[in-house]
């Protein structure tokens, strides 16, 4: 019998494969799993690396199916400040500290502020450019909010961006006016990708989806959603340096103003990823922004916001009817071109509009809702019947529950981000971080899913949304997502020795394509 390259024995293997849910050992050869069972030691030869798991848990490599990895990298040290703080005064102090250690005129970037958590704003005061001018009179400052849907800039940044009049806070597409002026870090975006993927490997993540790279993202996340970011991935994949499997959604239009014209132009000349292994880097589809988010009252809701408005779709058009027609045509074009649709939609009326547009398309695709925060039981039943999916962010639900309660009441706060309802309806459900909106640690997502009442999941169901469910979304359930013979050897070994320890235990070992990438 041919021996294996790597054998892992004496473990508790949670395969996520219903045909063989549990095992104690795994053998790997040529980057693929060749044996899962109880006696893998017989696969060991004189050159085989044998690892005694000593009862630790082994899982499939984790798949974060909605993670802005380049944006995350650009929004953390050393490139960015953490301004998820409780007051404008605290943000000012953080910016002032950064200015004291920065070169004259250097850009100061940050991420994380939330209007509902800034004490002065909660008390009724408006955030302005002057707030940041006081801390940084000579350095341009641009601070991304927690969601990626707004930026807060000072006068120096606005001046360099050519913005003559603004209160300092710009929403959605307006962000591009400032973000296009922010320079890339030294070393380029490939340096950022290397750093982030190494961190993801340390967390046991071996696959992720970049949900939107292209001309519509040139100014989003300081260039983290740009076409240049896809170029960085492509270069690393060609050189064999990419130690995660990356699925990419193209982004023809910005988050405010998705259009048929942009979509036609992108589809006429989509990026070509020549010379890369499609199991390492693939362009799977197209990201479409259908509406916004509740904190800025831009998600399209049937229920009124406290201000009395309902939000709207963010496709182009002067009326709801025109914006719906634009969305439907965008989706039709993407589907007809054979691409997967990942549609950012949050509000109850927005979800219904997207679901109706999906129902009008011929079958055979694997389109999915991104977020789907206020999806109704009826919308979920329609998605299930069509064979489509939903991608949820459990940590974001935990963060935003109080905001939903304040905006729409206790009933919607209980029903939002409907993980239990989606699974019960038969909708393929994948869960993810949406980093940098939250951190990329999947254990926090699993913990949030298990702890939640009403819409919570069991531990095994939660893990399934980060493995099997994500592989389905990637059109890859035939070759990844479970620990099964014949699939790629992407594995995550936790320090935990019992399932109830999993969310608190560190990741001890990560295997990507049969190669140990953590510890490196």
């Amino acid at each position: 019998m041919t021996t294996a390259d790597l054998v892992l024995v004496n473990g508790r293997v949670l395969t996520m494969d219903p045909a063989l849910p549990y095992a104690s050992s795994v053998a790997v050869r040529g980057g693929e799993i060749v044996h899962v069972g109880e006696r893998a030691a017989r696969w060991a030869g004189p050159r085989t690396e044998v690892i005694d798991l000593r009862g630790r848990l082994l899982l499939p490599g984790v798949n974060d199916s909605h993670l802005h990895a380049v944006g995350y990298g650009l929004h953390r040290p050393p490139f960015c400040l953490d301004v998820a703080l409780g007051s404008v005064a605290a943000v000012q102090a953080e910016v002032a500290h950064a200015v004291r250690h920065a070169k004259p005129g250097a850009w100061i970037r940050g991420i994380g502020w939330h209007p509902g958590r800034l004490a002065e704003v909660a008390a009724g005061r408006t955030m302005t450019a002057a707030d940041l001018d006081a801390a940084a009179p000579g350095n341009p400052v641009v601070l991304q909010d927690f969601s990626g849907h707004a930026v807060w800039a000072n006068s120096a940044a606005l001046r360099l961006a050519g913005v003559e009049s603004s209160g300092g806070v710009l929403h959605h597409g307006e962000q591009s006016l400032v973000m296009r002026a922010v320079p890339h870090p030294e070393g380029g975006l490939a340096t950022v990708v290397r750093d982030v993927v190494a961190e993801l490997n340390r967390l046991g993540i071996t696959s992720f989806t970049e949900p939107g790279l292209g001309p519509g993202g040139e100014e989003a996340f300081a260039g983290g959603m740009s076409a240049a970011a896809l170029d960085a991935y492509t270069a690393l994949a060609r050189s064999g340096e990419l130690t995660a499997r990356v699925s990419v959604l193209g982004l023809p239009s910005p988050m405010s103003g998705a259009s048929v014209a942009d979509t036609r132009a992108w589809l006429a000349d989509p990026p070509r990823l020549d010379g890369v292994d499609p199991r390492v880097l693939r362009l799977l589809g197209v990201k479409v922004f259908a509406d916004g988010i509740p904190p800025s009252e831009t998600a399209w809701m049937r229920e009124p916001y406290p201000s009395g408005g309902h939000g709207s779709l963010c496709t182009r058009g002067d009326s709801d009817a025109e914006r719906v027609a634009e969305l439907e045509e965008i989706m039709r074009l993407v589907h007809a071109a054979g691409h997967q649709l990942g549609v950012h939609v949050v509000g109850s009326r927005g979800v219904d509009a997207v679901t109706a547009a999906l129902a009008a398309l011929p079958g055979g695709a694997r389109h999915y809702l991104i977020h789907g925060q206020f999806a109704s039981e009826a919308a979920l039943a329609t998605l299930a019947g069509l064979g489509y999916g939903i991608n949820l962010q459990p940590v974001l639900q935990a963060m935003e529950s109080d905001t939903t309660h304040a905006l729409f009441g206790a009933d919607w706060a209980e029903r939002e981000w409907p993980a239990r309802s989606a699974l019960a309806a038969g909708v393929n459900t994948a869960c993810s971080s949406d980093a940098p909106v939250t951190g990329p640690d999947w254990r926090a997502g699993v913990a949030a899913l298990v702890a939640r009442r009403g819409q919570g999941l069991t531990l095994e169901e939660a893990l399934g949304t980060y493995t099997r469910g994500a592989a389905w979304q990637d059109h890859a359930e035939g070759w990844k997502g479970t620990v099964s013979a014949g699939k790629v050897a992407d594995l995550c070994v936790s320090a935990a020795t019992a399932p109830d320890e999993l969310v608190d235990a560190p990741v001890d070992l990560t295997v990507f394509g049969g190669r140990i990438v953590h510890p490196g």
Side-chain angles (χ1 to χ4, degrees):
M1 181 180 72
T2 305
T3 58
D5 304 319
L6 174 68
V7 172
L8 304 103
V9 298
N10 300 324
R12 299 188 65 175
V13 182
L14 304 181
T15 68
M16 306 309 301
D17 181 352
L20 180 65
Y22 308 104
S24 65
S25 58
V26 176
V28 174
R29 184 176 65 234
E32 293 190 351
I33 299 168
V34 292
H35 171 81
V36 181
E38 305 304 318
R39 294 185 301 278
R42 64 190 177 88
W43 288 83
R47 298 184 179 180
T48 302
E49 181 174 5
V50 179
I51 297 176
D52 188 345
L53 296 176
R54 302 186 305 279
R56 290 174 293 175
L57 294 178
L58 185 151
L59 314 167
V62 175
N63 189 341
D64 189 325
S65 51
H66 188 93
L67 188 160
H68 303 275
V70 180
Y72 171 69
L74 288 169
H75 283 83
R76 64 186 186 123
F79 309 118
C80 198
L81 304 177
D82 180 359
V83 291
L85 301 169
S87 67
V88 170
V91 173
Q92 289 173 315
E94 186 70 17
V95 170
H97 180 268
V99 167
R100 287 193 293 271
H101 295 83
K103 296 177 181 178
W107 282 78
I108 306 296
R109 296 183 50 247
I111 190 172
W113 62 269
H114 188 307
R117 293 181 171 85
L118 295 172
E120 298 90 340
V121 177
R125 185 164 84 74
T126 302
M127 300 156 55
T128 67
D131 292 323
L132 300 179
D133 293 343
N139 292 74
V141 178
V142 58
L143 307 179
Q144 187 88 56
D145 79 324
F146 78 103
S147 71
H149 287 255
V151 296
W152 181 13
N154 74 342
S155 296
L158 296 172
R159 188 165 52 251
L160 287 170
V163 180
E164 295 182 2
S165 176
S166 172
V169 178
L170 297 91
H171 296 277
H172 302 291
E174 290 183 336
Q175 298 176 81
S176 66
L177 300 174
V178 172
M179 297 303 279
R180 69 178 58 153
V182 181
H184 285 166
E186 293 183 14
L189 296 182
T191 299
V192 178
V193 173
R194 287 190 194 94
D195 186 60
V196 172
V197 171
E199 178 182 346
L200 299 179
N201 289 163
R202 290 192 291 273
L203 292 170
I205 295 172
T206 57
S207 292
F208 62 90
T209 295
E210 267 281 7
L213 300 179
E218 294 303 314
E219 292 87 25
F221 288 136
M225 295 176 70
S226 65
L230 181 55
D231 292 341
Y233 280 114
T234 303
L236 293 175
R238 285 174 180 155
S239 66
E241 297 177 75
L242 196 55
T243 58
R245 306 184 193 280
V246 184
S247 298
V248 175
L249 297 179
L251 187 59
S253 295
M255 67 176 64
S256 179
S259 74
V260 169
D262 290 342
T263 305
R264 287 187 188 279
W266 189 92
L267 291 172
D269 188 24
R272 289 168 175 79
L273 306 184
D274 299 328
V276 303
D277 182 347
R279 290 192 174 189
V280 174
L281 180 67
R282 293 186 299 165
L283 181 67
L284 276 183
V286 173
K287 168 80 166 284
V288 178
F289 282 98
D291 69 354
I293 59 171
S296 61
E297 299 192 1
T298 52
W300 196 25
M301 298 294 295
R302 295 191 179 281
E303 302 73 18
Y305 290 99
S307 67
H310 292 264
S312 70
L313 291 180
C314 59
T315 47
R316 293 183 188 173
D318 295 326
S319 66
D320 286 339
E322 289 181 2
R323 287 187 286 269
V324 168
E326 191 84 353
L327 174 67
E328 291 174 342
E329 180 62 6
I330 290 168
M331 294 173 62
R332 187 194 68 78
L333 288 170
V334 173
H335 178 87
H339 293 288
Q340 183 182 50
L341 277 159
V343 184
H344 168 116
V345 62
V346 173
S348 53
R349 192 172 180 186
V351 169
D352 288 346
V354 170
T355 302
L358 288 171
L361 300 174
R366 289 195 181 178
H367 307 316
Y368 63 100
L369 306 189
I370 296 169
H371 310 312
Q373 183 173 347
F374 294 105
S376 65
E377 298 279 351
L380 293 172
T382 299
L383 291 172
L386 295 169
Y388 296 146
I390 193 167
N391 193 291
L392 303 172
Q393 293 72 45
V395 176
L396 191 53
Q397 181 277 321
M399 289 170 54
E400 287 297 289
S401 181
D402 289 346
T403 299
T404 300
H405 191 284
L407 290 173
F408 304 116
D411 184 51
W412 264 121
E414 174 67 24
R415 290 189 287 128
E416 66 173 345
W417 305 95
R420 166 56 56 201
S421 295
L423 282 182
V427 179
N428 184 81
T429 304
C431 287
S432 56
S433 67
D434 201 8
V437 180
T438 74
D441 193 337
W442 58 276
R443 293 168 299 183
V446 170
L449 285 167
V450 173
R452 191 179 178 193
R453 293 180 296 177
Q455 289 294 337
L457 304 181
T458 68
L459 176 63
E460 185 170 340
E461 288 171 335
L463 291 173
T465 68
Y466 286 89
T467 53
R468 288 193 313 267
W472 179 93
Q473 180 182 296
D474 284 349
H475 297 256
E477 73 275 19
W479 55 271
K480 72 175 185 178
T482 65
V483 182
S484 309
K487 293 194 175 180
V488 292
D490 295 351
L491 309 170
C492 169
V493 176
S494 170
T497 57
D500 60 4
E501 301 171 355
L502 185 62
V503 298
D504 296 315
V507 172
D508 280 352
L509 184 75
T510 304
V511 178
F512 172 75
R515 177 162 61 99
I516 296 172
V517 293
H518 165 66

